[in-house]
Amino acid sequence: MYKLQKEGFSAYLVGGCVRDLLLGREPKDFDVVTDADPEQIRKVFRNCRLIGRRFRLAHVHFGREVIEVATFRGAADDQKDKQVLNKEGRLLRDNVYGTIEEDVWRRDFTVNALYYNIKDFSVVDYVSGMADHQAATLRLIGNPETRFREDPVRMLRAVRFAVKLGFRLHPDCEKSMHEVADLLSSIPSARLYDESLKLFMSGYALQTFEMLRHYGLFQVLFPTTENCLSVEEEGFPRLLLVKALENSDNRIAEGKTVTAYFLFAAFLWESVQVRAKEKMGRGVVEFMAYQDAANEVISLQVKSTALPRHITLAMREVWSLQPKFNARFGSKPSRLLTHPRFRAAYDFLLLRAETGGADPEVAKWWAKYQEANENEQRKMTQPPRKASGGKSNRKRNYRARAKSNTTESEI
Ligand code: ATP
Ligand code: MG
């Protein structure tokens, strides 16, 4: 910011960082806004890359950090050719530059439209953002319906901020969200994938999930999951997903990492199972049934949220390793243990076991197996000895059973 100022430009911190600093929280990143246009920004900084088509802006690299530097957006009236709307009113391109007074109206929520001026260390507020911030309210700037139509992703942002900040949505904002939720389906799937990562990997996944469902937004992001959830109201599907989201939030709270593929595997697992079972009912063998089901579910899902190939590959691995946990004799367990995806698949097995989808004994066995030394592991995987003596053995068994008077199933 000082560098921009030195070159004669103005520079402000804006958006999430000001909002979060006012709450005494550490901002996730810093967004800078200036009156320099992208080409001018490029000239000021050596380590600068211009990115984006819909919103052209500069990424300034400082070591491993990237600061996003945007140019003030302008009012579009006199430069219509630089702003493109589609027939639903969605902004496809928006590269009209202007002044801070114009820029403020282009921002989504009032609390995201506070500008911190390094010149005099003041916060510039044109839209009563400070009052809303104090009242912990998320209010869209301008007419909520128009603003949601312009960019339906703002509905996801509303949920994300409400959950993360503990703010409530302004009633007007809430009302139009119910009305235009479906418009979210017009957003390119790659952008929805990016947004879903932000929604579910920031430490508030469970609450976010509940709130997205409440506003009818979840079904746009995960249609096959929503179908499963609505069919089985109090069954296991909901539990597995809820547990996965809860675990993921706990991990983040403990400073551990979470992976996108694990969450997506959890989101889609029930859909895969339902389809696979239906196929097996029609006589398809288990392995093929699961593989076909996974293919179907993934190709449906990528219509809503594009999934990178490394993610779908890892999801498939986690799923396809699940039946392998049942093989506990011979060399199979030790081979499974060295599989690069073992850890994730085992965590997934635990989730299933905790929520009634897998035998808890199997999960316990694997916990013990991992702790055991080589000798113990060998013992654990020895097949039970088969009765070899034919008639005499059978007779002995029969006698023993008769003597102790136990039932078949107890033996
Ligand atoms: P965080 O970075 O904590 O997720 P943020 O508010 O900084 O939250 P960014 O996506 O970094 O969110 O965007 C920075 C600022 O740009 C926002 O605060 C907002 O003012 C503006 N902005 C971002 N996306 C939109 C959008 N879809 N519509 C309108 N304004 C937006
Ligand atoms: Mg930000």
Side-chain angles (χ1 to χ4, degrees), residues 89-321:
R90 180 157 68 89
L91 266 174
L92 299 180
R93 205 169 317 147
D94 189 8
N95 283 316
V96 183
Y97 302 124
T99 60
I100 186 170
E101 287 90 348
E102 291 166 333
D103 183 90
V104 67
W105 302 104
R106 315 301 296 280
R107 306 214 160 246
D108 47 7
F109 300 96
T110 59
V111 294
N112 284 349
L114 297 169
Y115 299 74
Y116 178 73
N117 190 356
I118 48 156
K119 216 164 136 190
D120 57 6
F121 312 112
S122 64
V123 174
V124 182
D125 176 11
Y126 292 92
V127 286
S128 304
M130 278 299 224
D132 284 337
H133 194 281
Q134 253 147 27
T137 300
L138 279 172
R139 185 204 308 259
L140 273 166
I141 301 169
N143 177 280
E145 192 180 323
T146 314
R147 301 310 307 281
F148 281 145
R149 280 184 183 279
E150 270 175 10
D151 183 5
V153 167
R154 287 172 187 153
M155 293 186 273
L156 298 181
R157 291 172 60 82
V159 170
R160 182 157 67 87
F161 296 137
V163 170
K164 169 176 147 171
L165 307 170
F167 281 20
R168 69 177 187 107
L169 296 178
H170 189 275
D172 294 346
C173 177
E174 216 182 346
K175 187 166 157 272
S176 18
M177 209 139 103
H178 284 295
E179 282 157 17
V180 295
D182 286 348
L183 286 182
L184 192 63
S185 58
S186 66
I187 299 298
S189 57
R191 188 165 175 223
L192 289 187
Y193 172 69
D194 290 342
E195 290 300 324
S196 58
L197 293 185
K198 289 188 210 163
L199 284 164
F200 293 109
M201 309 220 359
S202 310
Y204 309 91
L206 184 54
Q207 244 181 299
T208 302
F209 163 73
E210 303 285 0
M211 197 161 171
L212 287 174
R213 284 198 87 201
H214 175 76
Y215 289 110
L217 297 167
F218 184 75
Q219 64 190 37
V220 182
L221 295 177
F222 293 94
T224 61
T225 312
E226 177 64 41
N227 275 346
C228 275
L229 294 175
S230 41
V231 174
E232 288 212 37
E233 288 250 279
E234 37 180 348
F236 297 126
R238 216 186 132 120
L239 277 185
L240 180 120
L241 182 51
V242 164
K243 196 87 204 151
L245 298 174
E246 213 173 68
N247 286 358
S248 160
D249 289 345
N250 290 340
R251 283 185 68 91
I252 293 175
E254 291 163 17
K256 294 184 189 161
T257 55
V258 295
T259 57
Y261 72 82
F262 191 89
L263 275 182
F264 276 88
F267 272 123
L268 301 174
W269 171 246
E270 277 306 326
S271 314
V272 171
Q273 278 214 309
V274 168
R275 276 162 203 270
K277 280 182 185 154
E278 185 258 328
K279 286 175 203 300
M280 288 192 292
R282 283 191 282 112
V284 182
V285 293
E286 187 181 28
F287 172 74
M288 287 305 290
Y290 270 90
Q291 198 154 13
D292 290 352
N295 285 341
E296 282 175 24
V297 168
I298 287 175
S299 51
L300 281 174
Q301 182 58 32
V302 293
K303 288 184 189 155
S304 318
T305 63
L307 295 171
R309 189 157 300 275
H310 68 271
I311 298 281
T312 56
L313 264 176
M315 285 160 60
R316 280 175 206 275
E317 280 181 317
V318 167
W319 290 336
S320 66
L321 290 181

Side-chain angles (χ1 to χ4, degrees), residues 14-17 19 28-31:
V14 68
C17 56
R19 179 198 68 212
K28 194 178 86 207
D29 49 31
F30 290 91
D31 301 299

